[in-house]
Amino acid sequence: MSLLTPLGGLPYPQATDTANVPLHMQSLAEAVDGRTVLRFADAATRDAKVTAPVAGMLAWLTSPGRLFHHTGTQWHPVVPGPVHKANSTTGNTASATYVETLAASTGDPTAVTFTAPPSGSVLVQLGARISSNGAASGLMSANIRTGTTLTLAAADTRAAIVSGTNQSSASTQFQVSGLAAGAVCTATAAYKSSTTANTATFVYRFLTVTPLT
């Protein structure tokens, strides 16, 4: 009967075992197989091959080109980094409720997709050059969704705000907590004018989501 190494639990034969080099090498190879960095084309290929992952497994996915580890409940990027989207086009709205698409703009909606970290918390940062054609204010916030479900709606308390006709740069940041670890989420920029009597204009918009540990 093979013995196991004290740290990795890898099998090796005893002197009294029947000599069978191929069998002993196969046992060792199978034990090591799940402990190396596995390589797959994408998550679907990984999940089809690794049907019973365990905590500590590592897998490299060619798409999206990231290293993942298994926490015991789900696969998660080893080093989750910020995701960022910028839109330099000019757009405007006279809506007094938040909208995700601006008139006269291209590239909307401005959104980023991210995987919720084990902490379930992320930092959202956003901003733009904002102005109005009157005394009103232009506000930029963000909607947070888990899948297609709205998790946190855009709000004035989480908005970059500029008042008046002079174009000014404004930004804000806020923390989103309580996200399901491993869930695929989306942050989408949302805009409004403080009154329908005036049009708010937005240019050089950006949106960044940073996972928090």
Side-chain angles (χ1 to χ4, degrees), residues 100-161:
E100 295 180 350
T101 300
L102 296 173
S105 173
T106 58
D108 282 336
T110 299
V112 294
T113 299
F114 62 94
T115 300
S119 67
S121 298
V122 297
L123 181 67
V124 178
Q125 299 168 291
L126 55 86
R129 291 185 185 177
I130 308 171
S131 62
S132 176
N133 65 350
S137 299
L139 298 89
M140 177 183 179
S141 186
N143 290 315
I144 310 299
R145 293 181 177 85
T146 301
T148 58
T149 301
L150 185 63
T151 303
L152 186 67
D156 296 357
T157 53
R158 295 184 293 276
I161 307 173

Short mmCIF file of all heavy atoms in Angstrom, two decimals, residues 100-161:
data_model
loop_
_atom_site.label_atom_id
_atom_site.label_comp_id
_atom_site.label_asym_id
_atom_site.label_seq_id
_atom_site.Cartn_x
_atom_site.Cartn_y
_atom_site.Cartn_z
N GLU A 100 -29.63 56.05 -18.48
CA GLU A 100 -28.31 55.48 -18.77
C GLU A 100 -27.80 55.82 -20.16
O GLU A 100 -26.64 55.56 -20.47
CB GLU A 100 -28.37 53.95 -18.59
CG GLU A 100 -28.64 53.54 -17.14
CD GLU A 100 -28.70 52.03 -16.96
OE1 GLU A 100 -28.72 51.31 -17.99
OE2 GLU A 100 -28.74 51.56 -15.81
N THR A 101 -28.65 56.38 -20.99
CA THR A 101 -28.27 56.75 -22.34
C THR A 101 -28.51 58.24 -22.55
O THR A 101 -29.60 58.75 -22.24
CB THR A 101 -29.07 55.96 -23.39
OG1 THR A 101 -28.81 54.56 -23.20
CG2 THR A 101 -28.67 56.35 -24.80
N LEU A 102 -27.50 58.94 -23.05
CA LEU A 102 -27.59 60.37 -23.30
C LEU A 102 -27.91 60.65 -24.76
O LEU A 102 -27.52 59.88 -25.65
CB LEU A 102 -26.28 61.06 -22.93
CG LEU A 102 -25.87 60.99 -21.46
CD1 LEU A 102 -24.47 61.57 -21.28
CD2 LEU A 102 -26.88 61.74 -20.60
N ALA A 103 -28.59 61.75 -25.01
CA ALA A 103 -28.85 62.18 -26.38
C ALA A 103 -27.56 62.71 -27.00
O ALA A 103 -26.69 63.23 -26.31
CB ALA A 103 -29.93 63.26 -26.39
N ALA A 104 -27.46 62.53 -28.32
CA ALA A 104 -26.32 63.04 -29.09
C ALA A 104 -25.00 62.43 -28.65
O ALA A 104 -23.94 63.03 -28.80
CB ALA A 104 -26.25 64.56 -29.02
N SER A 105 -25.04 61.23 -28.09
CA SER A 105 -23.83 60.58 -27.61
C SER A 105 -23.63 59.26 -28.34
O SER A 105 -24.56 58.69 -28.91
CB SER A 105 -23.94 60.32 -26.10
OG SER A 105 -22.85 59.56 -25.64
N THR A 106 -22.40 58.77 -28.30
CA THR A 106 -22.11 57.43 -28.82
C THR A 106 -21.43 56.63 -27.71
O THR A 106 -20.83 57.20 -26.79
CB THR A 106 -21.17 57.48 -30.04
OG1 THR A 106 -19.95 58.15 -29.67
CG2 THR A 106 -21.83 58.23 -31.19
N GLY A 107 -21.55 55.33 -27.79
CA GLY A 107 -20.88 54.47 -26.82
C GLY A 107 -21.65 54.27 -25.54
O GLY A 107 -21.13 53.66 -24.60
N ASP A 108 -22.89 54.74 -25.47
CA ASP A 108 -23.69 54.51 -24.26
C ASP A 108 -24.40 53.17 -24.36
O ASP A 108 -24.71 52.71 -25.47
CB ASP A 108 -24.72 55.64 -24.08
CG ASP A 108 -24.10 56.91 -23.52
OD1 ASP A 108 -23.06 56.78 -22.87
OD2 ASP A 108 -24.65 57.99 -23.75
N PRO A 109 -24.73 52.52 -23.24
CA PRO A 109 -24.39 52.99 -21.90
C PRO A 109 -22.92 52.76 -21.56
O PRO A 109 -22.30 51.83 -22.05
CB PRO A 109 -25.31 52.16 -21.01
CG PRO A 109 -25.50 50.88 -21.76
CD PRO A 109 -25.52 51.28 -23.21
N THR A 110 -22.39 53.66 -20.73
CA THR A 110 -21.04 53.50 -20.22
C THR A 110 -21.11 52.57 -19.01
O THR A 110 -21.66 52.94 -17.97
CB THR A 110 -20.44 54.86 -19.83
OG1 THR A 110 -20.40 55.70 -20.99
CG2 THR A 110 -19.04 54.70 -19.27
N ALA A 111 -20.59 51.35 -19.15
CA ALA A 111 -20.76 50.34 -18.11
C ALA A 111 -19.53 49.46 -18.01
O ALA A 111 -18.77 49.32 -18.98
CB ALA A 111 -21.99 49.49 -18.40
N VAL A 112 -19.33 48.87 -16.84
CA VAL A 112 -18.26 47.90 -16.63
C VAL A 112 -18.86 46.66 -15.97
O VAL A 112 -19.77 46.77 -15.14
CB VAL A 112 -17.10 48.46 -15.77
CG1 VAL A 112 -16.38 49.58 -16.48
CG2 VAL A 112 -17.61 48.93 -14.40
N THR A 113 -18.36 45.49 -16.35
CA THR A 113 -18.78 44.23 -15.74
C THR A 113 -17.66 43.73 -14.84
O THR A 113 -16.49 43.78 -15.21
CB THR A 113 -19.09 43.19 -16.83
OG1 THR A 113 -20.16 43.68 -17.65
CG2 THR A 113 -19.52 41.87 -16.22
N PHE A 114 -18.03 43.26 -13.66
CA PHE A 114 -17.03 42.81 -12.69
C PHE A 114 -17.57 41.62 -11.92
O PHE A 114 -18.78 41.38 -11.86
CB PHE A 114 -16.64 43.94 -11.74
CG PHE A 114 -17.78 44.45 -10.88
CD1 PHE A 114 -18.01 43.96 -9.61
CD2 PHE A 114 -18.63 45.44 -11.37
CE1 PHE A 114 -19.05 44.44 -8.82
CE2 PHE A 114 -19.69 45.93 -10.59
CZ PHE A 114 -19.89 45.42 -9.31
N THR A 115 -16.64 40.86 -11.32
CA THR A 115 -17.00 39.74 -10.47
C THR A 115 -16.90 40.18 -9.01
O THR A 115 -15.86 40.69 -8.59
CB THR A 115 -16.07 38.54 -10.71
OG1 THR A 115 -16.16 38.13 -12.08
CG2 THR A 115 -16.45 37.36 -9.82
N ALA A 116 -17.97 40.00 -8.26
CA ALA A 116 -17.97 40.41 -6.86
C ALA A 116 -16.91 39.62 -6.09
O ALA A 116 -16.86 38.39 -6.18
CB ALA A 116 -19.35 40.19 -6.24
N PRO A 117 -16.04 40.30 -5.34
CA PRO A 117 -14.98 39.60 -4.59
C PRO A 117 -15.54 38.85 -3.39
O PRO A 117 -16.71 39.02 -3.03
CB PRO A 117 -14.07 40.76 -4.16
CG PRO A 117 -15.01 41.91 -4.01
CD PRO A 117 -16.02 41.75 -5.12
N PRO A 118 -14.71 38.01 -2.74
CA PRO A 118 -15.19 37.28 -1.56
C PRO A 118 -15.76 38.18 -0.48
O PRO A 118 -16.65 37.79 0.27
CB PRO A 118 -13.93 36.55 -1.08
CG PRO A 118 -13.13 36.34 -2.33
CD PRO A 118 -13.36 37.58 -3.14
N SER A 119 -15.25 39.43 -0.37
CA SER A 119 -15.75 40.36 0.64
C SER A 119 -17.16 40.85 0.31
O SER A 119 -17.86 41.36 1.19
CB SER A 119 -14.82 41.57 0.76
OG SER A 119 -14.85 42.34 -0.44
N GLY A 120 -17.56 40.75 -0.96
CA GLY A 120 -18.86 41.26 -1.37
C GLY A 120 -18.91 42.77 -1.48
O GLY A 120 -19.99 43.35 -1.64
N SER A 121 -17.74 43.43 -1.42
CA SER A 121 -17.69 44.90 -1.42
C SER A 121 -16.78 45.41 -2.54
O SER A 121 -15.72 44.84 -2.79
CB SER A 121 -17.18 45.43 -0.08
OG SER A 121 -18.06 45.07 0.97
N VAL A 122 -17.21 46.50 -3.17
CA VAL A 122 -16.40 47.15 -4.20
C VAL A 122 -16.48 48.67 -4.00
O VAL A 122 -17.41 49.18 -3.36
CB VAL A 122 -16.89 46.81 -5.63
CG1 VAL A 122 -16.76 45.33 -5.92
CG2 VAL A 122 -18.33 47.27 -5.84
N LEU A 123 -15.50 49.37 -4.55
CA LEU A 123 -15.48 50.82 -4.54
C LEU A 123 -15.79 51.30 -5.96
O LEU A 123 -15.11 50.92 -6.91
CB LEU A 123 -14.12 51.34 -4.09
CG LEU A 123 -13.98 52.87 -4.01
CD1 LEU A 123 -14.86 53.42 -2.90
CD2 LEU A 123 -12.53 53.27 -3.78
N VAL A 124 -16.82 52.11 -6.09
CA VAL A 124 -17.22 52.66 -7.39
C VAL A 124 -16.75 54.11 -7.46
O VAL A 124 -17.03 54.91 -6.56
CB VAL A 124 -18.74 52.58 -7.58
CG1 VAL A 124 -19.14 53.21 -8.92
CG2 VAL A 124 -19.21 51.14 -7.51
N GLN A 125 -16.03 54.45 -8.52
CA GLN A 125 -15.58 55.82 -8.76
C GLN A 125 -16.08 56.26 -10.13
O GLN A 125 -16.01 55.49 -11.10
CB GLN A 125 -14.05 55.88 -8.71
CG GLN A 125 -13.46 55.47 -7.37
CD GLN A 125 -11.96 55.27 -7.43
OE1 GLN A 125 -11.48 54.32 -8.05
NE2 GLN A 125 -11.20 56.14 -6.78
N LEU A 126 -16.59 57.47 -10.22
CA LEU A 126 -17.12 57.96 -11.49
C LEU A 126 -17.00 59.47 -11.56
O LEU A 126 -16.84 60.15 -10.54
CB LEU A 126 -18.58 57.53 -11.67
CG LEU A 126 -19.57 57.90 -10.56
CD1 LEU A 126 -20.15 59.30 -10.76
CD2 LEU A 126 -20.70 56.88 -10.51
N GLY A 127 -17.07 59.99 -12.77
CA GLY A 127 -16.99 61.44 -12.93
C GLY A 127 -17.08 61.85 -14.39
O GLY A 127 -17.13 61.01 -15.30
N ALA A 128 -17.11 63.16 -14.60
CA ALA A 128 -17.23 63.71 -15.96
C ALA A 128 -17.02 65.22 -15.89
O ALA A 128 -16.97 65.81 -14.80
CB ALA A 128 -18.59 63.40 -16.55
N ARG A 129 -16.92 65.84 -17.07
CA ARG A 129 -17.05 67.30 -17.17
C ARG A 129 -18.53 67.57 -17.40
O ARG A 129 -19.12 67.06 -18.36
CB ARG A 129 -16.21 67.85 -18.32
CG ARG A 129 -14.71 67.76 -18.09
CD ARG A 129 -13.94 68.43 -19.20
NE ARG A 129 -12.50 68.24 -19.05
CZ ARG A 129 -11.60 68.68 -19.92
NH1 ARG A 129 -12.00 69.34 -21.01
NH2 ARG A 129 -10.32 68.48 -19.72
N ILE A 130 -19.11 68.36 -16.53
CA ILE A 130 -20.56 68.53 -16.52
C ILE A 130 -20.90 70.02 -16.60
O ILE A 130 -20.21 70.86 -16.01
CB ILE A 130 -21.18 67.93 -15.24
CG1 ILE A 130 -20.72 66.48 -15.04
CG2 ILE A 130 -22.71 68.00 -15.27
CD1 ILE A 130 -21.10 65.88 -13.70
N SER A 131 -21.98 70.34 -17.30
CA SER A 131 -22.49 71.72 -17.34
C SER A 131 -23.98 71.68 -17.63
O SER A 131 -24.54 70.63 -17.96
CB SER A 131 -21.76 72.54 -18.42
OG SER A 131 -21.98 71.97 -19.70
N SER A 132 -24.63 72.83 -17.52
CA SER A 132 -26.05 72.96 -17.81
C SER A 132 -26.25 74.21 -18.66
O SER A 132 -25.42 75.12 -18.65
CB SER A 132 -26.86 73.06 -16.51
OG SER A 132 -28.23 73.27 -16.79
N ASN A 133 -27.35 74.25 -19.39
CA ASN A 133 -27.63 75.45 -20.19
C ASN A 133 -28.43 76.48 -19.40
O ASN A 133 -28.98 77.43 -19.95
CB ASN A 133 -28.36 75.09 -21.48
CG ASN A 133 -29.75 74.52 -21.23
OD1 ASN A 133 -30.12 74.21 -20.09
ND2 ASN A 133 -30.53 74.37 -22.30
N GLY A 134 -28.51 76.28 -18.08
CA GLY A 134 -29.20 77.22 -17.21
C GLY A 134 -28.68 77.10 -15.80
O GLY A 134 -27.55 76.66 -15.56
N ALA A 135 -29.52 77.47 -14.85
CA ALA A 135 -29.11 77.45 -13.45
C ALA A 135 -29.25 76.08 -12.82
O ALA A 135 -29.00 75.92 -11.62
CB ALA A 135 -29.94 78.46 -12.66
N ALA A 136 -29.64 75.10 -13.60
CA ALA A 136 -29.85 73.75 -13.06
C ALA A 136 -28.52 73.04 -12.80
O ALA A 136 -27.44 73.54 -13.11
CB ALA A 136 -30.70 72.94 -14.02
N SER A 137 -28.62 71.83 -12.24
CA SER A 137 -27.44 71.01 -11.97
C SER A 137 -27.46 69.77 -12.85
O SER A 137 -28.53 69.24 -13.19
CB SER A 137 -27.40 70.57 -10.50
OG SER A 137 -27.33 71.67 -9.64
N GLY A 138 -26.29 69.30 -13.23
CA GLY A 138 -26.14 68.01 -13.90
C GLY A 138 -25.60 67.02 -12.90
O GLY A 138 -24.65 67.33 -12.16
N LEU A 139 -26.18 65.83 -12.85
CA LEU A 139 -25.78 64.82 -11.87
C LEU A 139 -25.43 63.52 -12.59
O LEU A 139 -26.16 63.08 -13.49
CB LEU A 139 -26.89 64.55 -10.85
CG LEU A 139 -27.34 65.72 -9.97
CD1 LEU A 139 -28.46 66.51 -10.65
CD2 LEU A 139 -27.83 65.20 -8.62
N MET A 140 -24.34 62.89 -12.17
CA MET A 140 -23.91 61.60 -12.70
C MET A 140 -23.74 60.62 -11.54
O MET A 140 -23.01 60.88 -10.60
CB MET A 140 -22.60 61.72 -13.46
CG MET A 140 -22.04 60.40 -14.00
SD MET A 140 -20.44 60.63 -14.82
CE MET A 140 -20.05 58.94 -15.30
N SER A 141 -24.45 59.50 -11.61
CA SER A 141 -24.35 58.46 -10.59
C SER A 141 -24.19 57.12 -11.31
O SER A 141 -23.72 57.08 -12.46
CB SER A 141 -25.59 58.48 -9.69
OG SER A 141 -25.45 57.57 -8.62
N ALA A 142 -24.58 56.02 -10.69
CA ALA A 142 -24.45 54.71 -11.33
C ALA A 142 -25.49 53.75 -10.77
O ALA A 142 -25.83 53.80 -9.59
CB ALA A 142 -23.05 54.13 -11.14
N ASN A 143 -25.98 52.87 -11.64
CA ASN A 143 -26.83 51.75 -11.25
C ASN A 143 -25.96 50.51 -11.12
O ASN A 143 -25.13 50.23 -12.00
CB ASN A 143 -27.92 51.50 -12.29
CG ASN A 143 -28.96 52.60 -12.32
OD1 ASN A 143 -29.44 53.04 -11.28
ND2 ASN A 143 -29.33 53.05 -13.52
N ILE A 144 -26.15 49.74 -10.06
CA ILE A 144 -25.40 48.51 -9.84
C ILE A 144 -26.38 47.34 -9.98
O ILE A 144 -27.42 47.31 -9.31
CB ILE A 144 -24.75 48.47 -8.45
CG1 ILE A 144 -23.97 49.77 -8.18
CG2 ILE A 144 -23.83 47.26 -8.33
CD1 ILE A 144 -22.84 50.04 -9.15
N ARG A 145 -26.03 46.38 -10.83
CA ARG A 145 -26.88 45.22 -11.05
C ARG A 145 -26.11 43.93 -10.79
O ARG A 145 -24.91 43.84 -11.09
CB ARG A 145 -27.43 45.19 -12.48
CG ARG A 145 -28.40 46.32 -12.79
CD ARG A 145 -28.92 46.22 -14.23
NE ARG A 145 -29.92 47.24 -14.53
CZ ARG A 145 -29.61 48.47 -14.94
NH1 ARG A 145 -28.34 48.81 -15.12
NH2 ARG A 145 -30.57 49.35 -15.18
N THR A 146 -26.81 42.96 -10.22
CA THR A 146 -26.31 41.59 -10.13
C THR A 146 -27.07 40.79 -11.16
O THR A 146 -28.27 40.59 -11.02
CB THR A 146 -26.52 41.00 -8.72
OG1 THR A 146 -25.85 41.82 -7.76
CG2 THR A 146 -25.97 39.58 -8.65
N GLY A 147 -26.37 40.39 -12.23
CA GLY A 147 -27.08 39.82 -13.37
C GLY A 147 -27.95 40.92 -13.96
O GLY A 147 -27.47 41.98 -14.31
N THR A 148 -29.26 40.68 -14.04
CA THR A 148 -30.18 41.70 -14.54
C THR A 148 -30.96 42.37 -13.41
O THR A 148 -31.81 43.23 -13.66
CB THR A 148 -31.18 41.06 -15.53
OG1 THR A 148 -31.89 40.00 -14.87
CG2 THR A 148 -30.45 40.50 -16.74
N THR A 149 -30.69 41.98 -12.16
CA THR A 149 -31.41 42.52 -11.01
C THR A 149 -30.74 43.78 -10.50
O THR A 149 -29.54 43.79 -10.23
CB THR A 149 -31.49 41.48 -9.88
OG1 THR A 149 -32.13 40.30 -10.35
CG2 THR A 149 -32.25 42.03 -8.69
N LEU A 150 -31.51 44.86 -10.37
CA LEU A 150 -30.97 46.12 -9.86
C LEU A 150 -30.67 45.97 -8.37
O LEU A 150 -31.57 45.78 -7.55
CB LEU A 150 -31.97 47.25 -10.10
CG LEU A 150 -31.49 48.66 -9.71
CD1 LEU A 150 -30.29 49.06 -10.55
CD2 LEU A 150 -32.63 49.66 -9.87
N THR A 151 -29.39 46.06 -8.03
CA THR A 151 -28.95 45.90 -6.64
C THR A 151 -28.93 47.23 -5.90
O THR A 151 -29.31 47.32 -4.74
CB THR A 151 -27.55 45.27 -6.59
OG1 THR A 151 -27.58 44.01 -7.28
CG2 THR A 151 -27.09 45.03 -5.17
N LEU A 152 -28.47 48.27 -6.58
CA LEU A 152 -28.38 49.60 -5.99
C LEU A 152 -28.65 50.62 -7.08
O LEU A 152 -27.94 50.67 -8.09
CB LEU A 152 -26.99 49.82 -5.38
CG LEU A 152 -26.78 51.12 -4.60
CD1 LEU A 152 -27.62 51.10 -3.32
CD2 LEU A 152 -25.30 51.30 -4.26
N ALA A 153 -29.69 51.44 -6.88
CA ALA A 153 -30.09 52.41 -7.91
C ALA A 153 -29.27 53.70 -7.80
O ALA A 153 -28.81 54.08 -6.71
CB ALA A 153 -31.58 52.72 -7.78
N ALA A 154 -29.09 54.36 -8.94
CA ALA A 154 -28.43 55.67 -8.95
C ALA A 154 -29.17 56.61 -8.01
O ALA A 154 -30.40 56.59 -7.93
CB ALA A 154 -28.41 56.22 -10.37
N ALA A 155 -28.42 57.45 -7.30
CA ALA A 155 -29.03 58.35 -6.33
C ALA A 155 -28.22 59.64 -6.23
O ALA A 155 -27.00 59.64 -6.46
CB ALA A 155 -29.13 57.69 -4.95
N ASP A 156 -28.89 60.72 -5.86
CA ASP A 156 -28.22 62.01 -5.73
C ASP A 156 -27.13 61.96 -4.66
O ASP A 156 -26.11 62.66 -4.77
CB ASP A 156 -29.22 63.10 -5.36
CG ASP A 156 -30.27 63.33 -6.45
OD1 ASP A 156 -30.17 62.68 -7.52
OD2 ASP A 156 -31.19 64.14 -6.22
N THR A 157 -27.32 61.15 -3.64
CA THR A 157 -26.33 61.04 -2.56
C THR A 157 -25.06 60.33 -3.02
O THR A 157 -24.06 60.34 -2.31
CB THR A 157 -26.92 60.31 -1.35
OG1 THR A 157 -27.46 59.05 -1.79
CG2 THR A 157 -28.03 61.14 -0.71
N ARG A 158 -25.13 59.68 -4.19
CA ARG A 158 -23.96 58.99 -4.75
C ARG A 158 -23.68 59.54 -6.15
O ARG A 158 -23.44 58.78 -7.09
CB ARG A 158 -24.22 57.48 -4.82
CG ARG A 158 -24.36 56.82 -3.45
CD ARG A 158 -24.52 55.31 -3.58
NE ARG A 158 -25.78 54.95 -4.22
CZ ARG A 158 -26.94 54.84 -3.59
NH1 ARG A 158 -27.00 55.07 -2.29
NH2 ARG A 158 -28.05 54.53 -4.24
N ALA A 159 -23.72 60.86 -6.28
CA ALA A 159 -23.58 61.47 -7.61
C ALA A 159 -22.50 62.54 -7.63
O ALA A 159 -22.23 63.21 -6.62
CB ALA A 159 -24.91 62.10 -8.04
N ALA A 160 -21.86 62.68 -8.80
CA ALA A 160 -20.99 63.83 -9.07
C ALA A 160 -21.91 64.93 -9.59
O ALA A 160 -22.73 64.70 -10.48
CB ALA A 160 -19.94 63.46 -10.11
N ILE A 161 -21.80 66.14 -9.03
CA ILE A 161 -22.77 67.20 -9.31
C ILE A 161 -22.05 68.48 -9.70
O ILE A 161 -21.08 68.89 -9.05
CB ILE A 161 -23.66 67.47 -8.08
CG1 ILE A 161 -24.31 66.17 -7.59
CG2 ILE A 161 -24.73 68.50 -8.41
CD1 ILE A 161 -25.06 66.33 -6.27
#
